Amino acid sequence: MTSKLSWITFIPLTVAAVFFKFVQMMYIDSGSSVVFGLTPQWCEYISLFCIAGVFLFSVLFCVIDRRISPYYAVRRNFGAGVFGILIGLLLAADGAKSVFDVIETGLFTVMEIVEIVFMILAAVAFIVLGLAHFVRRKNSTFALFYLMPALLCAVRLVRVFMGITTISVINADISLLLSYVFATLFFFNFAVLLSMTKAKNAVKWCFIYGFPAVAALLAYAVSEIYFGFDYVELWSNAEMVELALIGLYILSFLIELTVFAKRREHVIVDGLDETDEYEQLPDENEEPTEDPVVVTGSDIEDDPNPSSYLSTADTSDYLYRVTTPSDEMNRDIKVQDTDADVADDYIMSKSRDYNADSEASSDDGYSSRMDEIDKLILEISEEEYQ
């Protein structure tokens, strides 16, 4: 699965993005060359180019990947669980402080109120997600809340963009804008993946937007926390810490997705919708001798000759079902050979049974119940015996 090869370019480019952003913040007030003859402005450009490179290589590796499954069931991930709970608690505290500030000063804008609402909702979502990473989920009852992180990032993206329009582009911090752009796109596809909504391929999109989101978030948050941390007003650092934790959360999930993502031929999905329950596959130490087949509800409807197993197996309560060679044998056990000689033997055997039954019973009683097709078959079989 070539999607996993994105790590090859993600690691060095992310390190380079963090390094050049760090250097740019260190010498931001200097107009002279600082590293490799580059000015602080060029260091920022190189950092942005590295983030863009992570995105482009992720797109390349995911586009040529034809084997990865479009569905994934979340497993236990203690790192993501810890980061998710920390993000939820920090967002809740930040939202509560913002509410107290609005009540105390009486000054607020519509954007501030909207951001406060989504901070509280996103806090609930991250706490639920964090707890879900510690256990195996049977069914999702919080599918709507999975969109709250994406909506919060979208609101903050609008706020940052409105702030950039009031200053010069040269002085604007584009890395923060990229952080919210990629984080919004990642969390939207992350919600699609978690809610098991039918989509083109949510797993690929998580790779495509997740890697550049981590690169942008870490590049901005690390440099801002190191050089811009406010030791007097600690709550003013909440957003920087939130971005750093979000980057670590996405990174933890990408590691899980890379390790446990299934190939397309190893997953069978039948009649999937948002309310279907599913079971997590046990860890597999070895692959089956024969590759199972991906089956969706649409695939079964389009197949003119569905196999007996797929048409009779009850898969409504399962997301994944792994087939084995014994299942393949059971699947083909009802297939009839259409060879002409076998068909003739079949007609002859049926005619013998009929002759035996006809001699033991009354000719008038049985012939009166036969239709014209049975009489014709009987005449053909008698001619062959003669």
Side-chain angles (χ1 to χ4, degrees):
M1 291 182 288
T2 57
S3 297
K4 299 180 180 181
L5 297 179
S6 302
W7 287 94
I8 298 176
T9 54
F10 163 73
I11 295 175
L13 289 177
T14 300
V15 173
V18 174
F19 171 75
F20 282 103
K21 183 65 178 178
F22 196 88
V23 172
Q24 186 255 340
M25 292 294 294
M26 183 180 298
Y27 298 99
I28 193 171
D29 295 329
S30 175
S32 60
S33 300
V34 291
V35 176
F36 306 122
L38 301 173
T39 62
Q41 194 67 34
W42 271 105
C43 289
E44 183 181 10
Y45 291 157
I46 294 175
S47 178
L48 297 177
F49 289 152
C50 291
I51 297 172
V54 173
F55 172 70
L56 293 177
F57 278 108
S58 299
V59 171
L60 175 63
F61 287 124
C62 291
V63 165
I64 63 178
D65 189 356
R66 302 294 183 184
R67 305 193 67 182
I68 193 169
S69 172
Y71 297 101
Y72 175 74
V74 177
R75 304 209 176 204
R76 290 190 181 95
N77 189 333
F78 295 102
V82 171
F83 290 131
I85 293 176
L86 290 177
I87 295 170
L89 295 177
L90 187 57
L91 285 174
D94 192 10
K97 182 182 181 302
S98 300
V99 171
F100 292 147
D101 291 342
V102 169
I103 295 175
E104 182 179 358
T105 60
L107 302 175
F108 61 89
T109 62
V110 176
M111 183 61 65
E112 290 177 347
I113 297 300
V114 173
E115 184 176 355
I116 290 172
V117 172
F118 281 108
M119 272 197 296
I120 296 174
L121 294 176
V124 176
F126 273 113
I127 292 175
V128 172
L129 288 172
L131 295 176
H133 283 295
F134 289 102
V135 295
R136 293 178 182 267
R137 298 178 302 109
K138 276 290 293 180
N139 191 17
S140 171
T141 57
F142 294 93
L144 181 61
F145 279 99
Y146 292 155
L147 284 173
M148 293 303 109
L151 295 177
L152 173 63
C153 292
V155 171
R156 287 186 170 180
L157 173 62
V158 174
R159 188 247 297 168
V160 173
F161 181 77
M162 292 173 61
I164 289 178
T165 56
T166 60
I167 60 177
S168 174
V169 178
I170 298 178
N171 298 325
D173 195 347
I174 306 300
S175 59
L176 178 59
L177 188 66
L178 286 180
S179 299
Y180 281 124
V181 168
F182 288 118
T184 301
L185 295 173
F186 169 80
F187 280 116
F188 175 78
N189 291 279
F190 184 56
V192 173
L193 185 147
L194 291 180
S195 60
M196 296 301 166
T197 304
K198 289 185 180 181
K200 184 68 176 178
N201 202 323
V203 175
K204 283 186 180 181
W205 290 116
C206 285
F207 278 122
I208 290 174
Y209 296 125
F211 285 116
V214 174
L217 288 167
L218 293 183
Y220 175 81
V222 170
S223 58
E224 285 292 332
I225 291 175
Y226 187 85
F227 293 105
F229 194 85
D230 190 352
Y231 293 94
V232 178
E233 185 64 31
L234 294 178
W235 280 112
S236 62
N237 307 307
E239 185 174 355
M240 294 184 293
V241 178
E242 289 166 6
L243 292 176
L245 292 175
I246 290 174
L248 294 175
Y249 175 83
I250 298 175
L251 180 62
S252 300
F253 179 74
L254 290 177
I255 294 174
E256 174 196 340
L257 194 61
T258 303
V259 174
F260 296 109
K262 297 291 182 181
R263 293 182 178 180
R264 185 180 295 270
E265 60 269 20
H266 289 168
V267 176
I268 294 179
V269 182
D270 183 25
L272 183 65
D273 56 39
E274 295 182 0
T275 60
D276 285 341
E277 295 183 355
Y278 62 90
E279 288 189 359
Q280 175 70 52
L281 281 177
D283 295 336
E284 300 173 1
N285 296 325
E286 58 183 11
E287 297 182 355
T289 56
E290 296 184 8
D291 288 337
V293 181
V294 178
V295 179
T296 64
S298 59
D299 292 335
I300 295 177
E301 294 175 358
D302 297 337
D303 188 3
N305 297 312
S307 61
S308 59
Y309 174 79
L310 296 179
S311 60
T312 58
D314 184 11
T315 57
S316 59
D317 294 332
Y318 293 87
L319 172 63
Y320 295 105
R321 184 182 293 273
V322 177
T323 62
T324 61
S326 61
D327 294 332
E328 297 292 337
M329 294 176 62
N330 294 331
R331 186 179 301 178
D332 299 332
I333 194 171
K334 293 185 179 181
V335 177
Q336 300 294 336
D337 190 358
T338 60
D339 185 78
D341 295 336
V342 177
D344 291 339
D345 294 339
Y346 179 77
I347 294 175
M348 292 171 64
S349 62
K350 287 296 184 180
S351 64
R352 293 192 189 99
D353 295 339
Y354 168 73
N355 291 334
D357 294 338
S358 62
E359 293 176 357
S361 61
S362 174
D363 293 338
D364 295 337
Y366 185 79
S367 60
S368 61
R369 293 192 301 268
M370 284 198 308
D371 54 15
E372 295 297 330
I373 297 177
D374 292 334
K375 291 179 180 181
L376 180 60
I377 295 175
L378 179 58
E379 291 175 358
I380 294 173
S381 61
E382 288 177 351
E383 291 178 358
E384 290 178 352
Y385 283 138
Q386 294 175 358

